[in-house]
Amino acid sequence: MGKFILKAALFCLLTITISYSLDIFISKAFRPGNTCYAWNDIYNNNVNSDIVIFGSSRAIQHFDSQIIEDSLSVSAYNLGLAGARIDISYLRLLELKKYAKKMPKIITLEVGFNTLENEYQMYLHHQIFPFMLFNKNVYECTKHLEGFSKDQYWIPILRYSGYIFKCYENSLLKNSNIITTKGYIGFDNHFDSKGFEERKKENFSKTHIIDSLHLNFLEKFVCFCSKENIQLNFVYTPEYYYGRKFFKNRLEVITFFQKYSESLGIPFKDFSNDTIINYNTEYFRDVQHLNKRGAEKFTSEMYIPWIKELYGL
């Protein structure tokens, strides 16, 4: 009986060792991909900047990090993430604290419809798989999302079941034509008139509901910045003026952030009313996203002057 128990224990130990080693190997192999949008730079200690941008795809595509650096003579990095709501932005902030050599002096949080939306899906949720094993921060910030189960965080290999090929495809994107510059991604696309006209014909309109759970993550984000003595500001970036009709409660969302930021003394700037950018399709790739030309104009002529005045840079 004693020999059986010993053999069983050795077998379990060997299984755990092999599965854990295999997990490390697979995770390292799947890390390098542009779909990961700066995850790697966080974990490789490469984000050590004075100004860091957080937010969704509108953050990634609207704030040109290099222009910020060149204009303000400070280091800058864009940690926006496609489809990210505040829970994932908060996760990136926690992981930045864990790995960065220094924390930013200024954080700009791009806010809008997605920030506090009552959606519980993470875009390409398997992009986080290489970083989530035994990671408490990932667990606390993603456990409420669809596609994640409690055992995936603590049992090696399990989370890759059914996703091996998707993760492999993501890792191959390191050789794609997506080029990031300190997290920023600029697209040369012209305005998507076809998609725009289709939405107009369909009378597309969506209501975005502010979710209490995501509001709690926003409060955590704000508290973190306060404790770390980070100067936080909120920015609502440009959008093509007609696209406002696609969102029923646009004014309600903007008003919420105005009142919320005012109550906490957080600077907030709404850049969506500017007539130069917001009414000109040559600066947009779709109603919500600027193209490269638009991002360069927004960053240099709107965002940077505001930041200069705000912080005396």
Side-chain angles (χ1 to χ4, degrees), residues 154-167:
W154 318 115
I155 301 177
I157 300 299
L158 184 63
R159 66 195 182 284
Y160 288 113
S161 178
Y163 286 95
I164 286 291
F165 290 107
K166 287 185 178 181
C167 291

Side-chain angles (χ1 to χ4, degrees), residues 65-92:
S65 308
Q66 194 61 57
I67 291 179
I68 295 172
E69 286 199 352
D70 295 341
S71 300
L72 299 178
S73 298
V74 297
S75 54
Y77 202 98
N78 192 323
L79 279 180
L81 184 68
R85 295 174 181 83
I86 190 61
D87 47 5
I88 303 303
S89 292
Y90 181 58
L91 168 60
R92 293 194 129 187

